Amino acid sequence: QVQLVESGGGLVQAGGSLKLSCAASGNVYVIESMAWYRRAPGKERELVASIHLSGWTNYSDSVKGRFSISRTVNKNMIFLQMSSLKPEDTGVYYCSYRRRGYDYWGQGTQVTVSS
């Protein structure tokens, strides 16, 4: 079993930056890929960015060029550097990992972008 703990959320003005962190512990060797998702108020949870074992990354169109996903060398932590934040980036951000076709989630961290 893998535990995920997110941190780094908060309140920021539009145009500002914020960096989220996610620490994975436990049987981390089973992780195939990790990702950040978000759920905006009244909307479905959506993929923001993912990073695979190979280091390949993927971003949603809405954050390309503004957000960057990265990880530590030992792959036990991932980060989401968010820049040029917009009010529509507001939501709960979740760290997740994938194993054998299933996604597992952390508790989430709130990001609020004020206009």
Side-chain angles (χ1 to χ4, degrees), residues 56-68:
W56 178 77
T57 58
N58 181 52
Y59 297 90
S60 71
D61 289 341
S62 63
V63 306
K64 279 181 183 176
R66 301 189 297 122
F67 290 12
S68 177

Side-chain angles (χ1 to χ4, degrees), residues 13-88:
Q13 287 188 330
S17 299
L18 210 56
K19 185 174 183 177
L20 305 183
S21 301
C22 173
S25 60
N27 295 334
V28 297
Y29 64 89
V30 304
I31 294 175
E32 298 166 4
S33 65
M34 295 187 74
W36 287 98
Y37 284 74
R38 70 185 178 193
R39 176 174 284 155
K43 295 187 177 181
E44 297 289 322
R45 184 156 49 190
E46 63 171 346
L47 175 68
V48 175
S50 62
I51 185 164
H52 298 254
L53 285 178
S54 64
W56 178 77
T57 58
N58 181 52
Y59 297 90
S60 71
D61 289 341
S62 63
V63 306
K64 279 181 183 176
R66 301 189 297 122
F67 290 12
S68 177
I69 189 170
S70 60
R71 66 184 180 196
T72 53
V73 173
N74 64 8
K75 304 179 181 64
N76 285 2
M77 289 193 72
I78 63 168
F79 308 95
L80 186 68
Q81 178 67 52
M82 305 183 291
S83 303
S84 302
L85 283 161
K86 304 175 182 180
E88 51 263 43

Side-chain angles (χ1 to χ4, degrees), residues 6 35-39 45 92-96 105-108:
E6 302 99 333
W36 287 98
Y37 284 74
R38 70 185 178 193
R39 176 174 284 155
R45 184 156 49 190
V92 179
Y93 283 69
Y94 299 90
C95 176
S96 76
W105 310 93
Q107 293 299 306

